[in-house]
Each structure stands twice: as C-alpha cells, then as structure tokens.
Amino acid sequence: MSTDPAPDPLPTGPFATLACASCPDLERFLVSLVGEFRLVDVSAVTLALDRIALDVGYVRGLDPAAQLDAMRTALGDLRPLPAATLDAVAIDRVLERRAGHPVLLAAIHVLAGRRAGVPLGVIVAEGRPLVAHRRGREAVVLDPADGARRVPGGELPVDARWRCPHQVAYHALTALASGAMERGDVGLAIRAAELRLDLPCDADSRTVLELELNRLRARLN
C-alpha cells in the first residue's frame, strides 16, 4: 500500500473564495470558516452581535478609553477556552456560550465594536490576542481573555502588531490544529491544517505548512 501523502485539496469552498480577497470581511470570513465543518445559523450570529452592540450603547462621542470601558461592561464576562474542539473557534458557539479561544474573543470585540461605532482591531503580542482602539494618540488596549482588562502601554511587548482577517483566521486554525492533535482528533487537525493552506502566505511559509500537513496525514497511515 502506498504511503505517499494525499495531494492538497483544491480550494473550492466559500472559505477559500473569501481567502482570495485582499481583505475579507471578518464576520463573513469567520462564519465561512465554521461552514467548512458544519452548518451555521448566520442569522443567530448577526442577532447575537447586534445585542452586544445594544449593550455597549451609544458611545460614538466618547474618547477611546471610555469607549473601551463600555466594551468591557458588555463583554467582560467572556471566558477563554483552549482550542481543543471546533466550538472554541466557531463564532456561533462562542457567542452562544460566551466562551472561546482568545482570538475569537478578540474578534467578537471588533465585530460588536463596529456595530456600536467603536473602531477596534485585533493585535497579537507574544502570541496573545488583544484588542486595540484604532484612534487616539496613545495605544488603548484590552485583553479579551482577562475580563477585558485594560492593558497599560508599558505591558505591551514591542512585537505587538495589527492582525488582518487572514491572520485572525490563521491564528484560529493553528490553535485548532494543535488543540485537536493534543486531544487525539487527527481528522479535525488535518482539516484545520488544510484550510490554512487556503490563506495567502509566502513561499517559505507555505512549504512549512505543507510539511506540517503531511506529518499529520502520516498519522493516519
């Protein structure tokens, strides 16, 4: 019996289609990610985010710090979870259970903030997803996995960088692949690793991702 790894699947699904866009809409992108595994109630996702925005209230005229304080009030109960199962990175389940992987918690802050008129973005510092205000002279940052605690500027590592929707999806899929392997779910880990290859990356990074995928597939032989 041949032990050669199976060829990479051609990108044909909605996730792959959005991944080809230069800057896909974060909400649609995260919904499409879950859709690669199972059906998603898109209307429930929309309704949950709308409700959070209502909890945030009208904050358009407030300064960045006050706006993040309002976000903390609305989302401070979110709980971090390791990405051992799909539910930890599935936006519908994270919204339903108010718990998920930190990168999804950060994404929910951004999406709810967008509805409330608060311009937020995801940054990652030393592997930790954070939420930052996109306006203001000084960085105003909160940690979505720590009760939306304000992160003083002095605590921010120098490697903190903004993350686009592609990078948010990559972070979620990498966490899922790792967590699934730790739990012994090789099939889930393989699917997460396959989807990572739909994301744009340079040639060297693609080679590394392909090697990781082939190692996972070898576990099934």
Side-chain angles (χ1 to χ4, degrees), residues 117-207:
V118 183
L120 303 177
V122 177
I123 63 174
V124 175
E126 296 182 344
R128 180 173 54 149
L130 302 171
V131 177
H133 204 286
R134 287 188 172 275
R135 295 177 188 163
R137 295 180 179 178
E138 297 181 0
V140 185
V141 180
L142 59 80
D143 186 344
D146 188 16
R149 177 182 69 89
R150 281 279 299 279
V151 180
E155 290 185 20
L156 283 177
V158 294
D159 72 336
R161 295 290 184 273
W162 294 107
R163 293 295 184 258
C164 71
H166 287 125
Q167 292 165 320
V168 170
Y170 176 87
H171 198 116
L173 288 168
T174 297
L176 180 59
S178 176
M181 277 305 301
E182 290 180 6
R183 196 168 57 87
D185 191 341
V186 181
L188 180 59
I190 288 174
R191 186 64 187 128
E194 288 173 343
L195 289 173
R196 282 193 312 188
L197 285 171
D198 287 340
L199 299 169
C201 63
D202 59 60
D204 290 341
S205 297
R206 177 166 292 276
T207 297

Side-chain angles (χ1 to χ4, degrees), residues 42-64:
V42 179
S43 61
V45 172
T46 300
L47 180 60
L49 290 169
D50 287 346
R51 285 175 173 168
I52 293 170
L54 287 175
D55 290 339
V56 174
Y58 187 80
V59 295
R60 292 179 186 271
L62 302 181
D63 61 43

